[in-house]
């Protein structure tokens, strides 16, 4: 009887041990998946903030980091052109062109062509309403980002500071104060390296993000033509790229070539300060930012 009792106890202990092992394994697996999901979301959210803030900052000077844009042109056929005021001969020529382009008798053809965009569009007013609208969209997405940042144990003080600066950016955009709007948007961007989860282990991505922060700070100071501060910020970005260029640990990294190219461009940006010409600076700035953006 005693042996049977001990045997049953042993079976119960074994079963409990198996259940405990399964629970532990499931817990570890679940935590691993949650951690991986959090890291993925964090990467996506930082990328979202990077894209959004950079576009808003550049929009203040009508700088587009795309070299070309697609322009769609509608070409009407003869059937719908009776209301035109062109001469009969001009209409015939137009019909022939339409026929050549479309190859059919379609009523309307949409042609596309590539137009090179200028770096700075002179005498173009800032669309403050559009910037304010984009900031409001950012405000609506910010609470969900905050929750993920807290889950990753990002410094709560940094999160609160971002919220405060976001409010200031909106206030100054509403006032249409270009210099202060640019400054606060640059401050918002400077939080991104702090928000990037350090457990990802991608040192290059973090360092490039830090470099962009300093270059954007220089861009903000350009608004008040503070050439001394611009030089200081560019030097900080230059130091980061110098350390990456000389880092033997990444000699075989596929991003090495683009890092070397970015280093050359930051040197060009630094040299442009001697001209004290903001348009020349913006051209060099645009080239460098485009290069940094392709380093992933």
């Amino acid at each position: 009887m005693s042996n049977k009792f001990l045997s049953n106890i042993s079976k119960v202990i074994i079963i409990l041990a198996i259940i405990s092992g399964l629970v532990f394994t499931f817990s570890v697996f679940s935590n691993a998946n949650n951690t991986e999901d959090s890291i993925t979301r964090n990467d996506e959210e930082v990328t979202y903030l990077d894209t959004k803030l950079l576009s808003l900052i550049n929009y203040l000077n009508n700088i587009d980091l795309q070299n070309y844009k697609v322009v769609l042109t509608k070409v009407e056929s003869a059937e719908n052109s009776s209301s035109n005021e062109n001469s009969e001969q001009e209409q015939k020529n137009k019909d022939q062109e339409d026929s050549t382009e479309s190859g059919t008798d379609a009523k309307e053809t949409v042609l596309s062509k590539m137009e090179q965009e200028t770096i700075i569009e002179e005498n173009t007013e800032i669309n403050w309403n559009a910037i304010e609208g984009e900031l409001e969209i950012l405000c609506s997405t910010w609470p969900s980002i905050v929750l993920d940042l807290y889950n990753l144990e990002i410094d709560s003080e940094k999160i609160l500071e971002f919220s405060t600066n976001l409010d200031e950016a909106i206030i100054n955009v509403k006032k249409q104060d270009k210099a202060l709007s640019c400054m606060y948007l640059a401050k918002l961007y400077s939080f991104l390296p702090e928000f990037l989860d350090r457990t990802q282990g991608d040192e290059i991505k973090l360092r490039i993000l830090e470099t962009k922060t300093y270059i954007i700070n220089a861009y903000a100071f350009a608004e008040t033509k503070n050439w001394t501060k611009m030089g200081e910020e560019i030097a900080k970005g230059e130091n980061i790229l110098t350390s990456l260029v000389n880092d033997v640990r990444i000699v075989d990294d596929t991003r090495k070539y683009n890092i070397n190219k970015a280093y050359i461009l930051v040197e060009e940006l630094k040299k442009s300060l001697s001209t004290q010409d903001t348009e020349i600076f913006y051209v060099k700035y645009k080239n460098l930012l485009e290069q940094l953006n392709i380093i992933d």
Side-chain angles (χ1 to χ4, degrees):
M1 184 72 176
S2 177
N3 291 337
K4 186 176 181 180
F5 177 76
L6 291 174
S7 176
N8 290 335
I9 291 295
S10 298
K11 289 179 180 178
V12 171
I13 292 173
I14 292 172
I15 291 171
L16 289 174
I18 292 173
I19 292 173
S20 298
L22 291 173
V23 170
F24 176 77
T25 301
F26 176 78
S27 177
V28 171
F29 180 75
S30 178
N31 288 335
N33 282 341
N34 288 336
T35 300
E36 185 176 345
D37 289 342
S38 296
I39 291 174
T40 300
R41 284 200 307 275
N42 176 257
D43 185 68
E44 291 173 349
E45 288 165 350
V46 170
T47 299
Y48 166 76
L49 292 173
D50 180 356
T51 304
K52 178 69 72 177
L53 291 173
L54 193 56
S55 64
L56 289 173
I57 291 168
N58 289 331
Y59 197 48
L60 289 169
N61 283 297
N62 296 296
I63 295 177
D64 190 344
L65 296 184
Q66 298 297 323
N67 287 322
Y68 291 88
K69 61 182 178 181
V70 176
V71 178
L72 297 180
T73 305
K74 290 184 178 180
V75 181
E76 295 181 355
S77 66
E79 181 178 342
N80 296 326
S81 61
S82 57
S83 61
N84 292 343
E85 298 178 357
N86 297 330
S87 67
E88 183 178 352
Q89 184 60 41
E90 289 174 337
Q91 185 59 53
K92 288 181 180 180
N93 292 338
K94 181 178 181 300
D95 291 345
Q96 291 176 354
E97 290 175 2
D98 289 347
S99 177
T100 302
E101 293 288 349
S102 64
T104 67
D105 293 329
K107 293 183 179 180
E108 188 177 80
T109 302
V110 178
L111 305 179
S112 63
K113 61 179 178 177
M114 301 299 288
E115 288 188 355
Q116 188 168 12
E117 292 190 299
T118 57
I119 305 298
I120 307 296
E121 296 181 18
E122 296 182 358
N123 302 319
T124 301
E125 293 184 1
I126 299 171
N127 189 337
W128 292 103
N129 290 332
I131 296 177
E132 185 178 342
E134 289 298 315
L135 281 172
E136 289 174 356
I137 293 173
L138 178 55
C139 281
S140 68
T141 59
W142 176 239
S144 61
I145 297 175
V146 168
L147 292 176
D148 290 330
L149 293 176
Y150 275 124
N151 288 336
L152 289 170
E153 299 182 352
I154 302 297
D155 188 353
S156 59
E157 289 297 322
K158 297 295 181 182
I159 297 173
L160 291 174
E161 285 179 35
F162 185 95
S163 296
T164 301
N165 281 280
L166 180 56
D167 291 341
E168 290 294 332
I170 294 173
I171 289 170
N172 284 284
V173 165
K174 286 183 176 180
K175 291 179 179 178
Q176 298 187 7
D177 188 320
K178 185 180 177 184
L180 285 177
S181 296
C182 196
M183 184 189 75
Y184 278 107
L185 287 171
K187 280 188 176 182
L188 289 173
Y189 194 93
S190 69
F191 286 97
L192 300 192
E194 300 289 341
F195 292 164
L196 188 64
D197 182 26
R198 306 304 171 99
T199 63
Q200 292 189 47
D202 192 342
E203 182 69 17
I204 292 178
K205 184 170 185 175
L206 175 61
R207 301 295 278 170
I208 293 301
L209 195 56
E210 290 173 342
T211 302
K212 289 167 68 176
T213 293
Y214 294 128
I215 301 305
I216 290 168
N217 286 343
Y219 169 85
F221 282 121
E223 197 58 45
T224 55
K225 300 186 186 304
N226 192 332
W227 302 102
T228 300
K229 284 290 186 182
M230 290 165 67
E232 291 173 358
E233 295 298 319
I234 292 172
K236 293 174 185 177
E238 177 191 21
N239 289 338
I240 295 176
L241 289 177
T242 300
S243 66
L244 285 175
V245 168
N246 296 328
D247 193 340
V248 295
R249 294 174 300 172
I250 64 170
V251 66
D252 295 324
D253 195 291
T254 56
R255 293 168 288 187
K256 180 70 173 178
Y257 170 81
N258 285 322
I259 291 172
N260 291 341
K261 188 174 178 181
Y263 173 77
I264 294 172
L265 291 174
V266 80
E267 291 298 310
E268 290 293 317
L269 182 65
K270 185 172 70 172
K271 290 178 183 177
S272 74
L273 298 182
S274 62
T275 66
Q276 295 197 357
D277 185 311
T278 53
E279 289 197 17
I280 293 176
F281 170 81
Y282 289 143
V283 171
K284 305 290 185 178
Y285 160 85
K286 177 181 185 291
N287 292 338
L288 176 57
L289 258 293
E290 286 178 338
Q291 183 61 31
L292 291 173
N293 279 342
I294 66 175
I295 302 174
D296 190 352

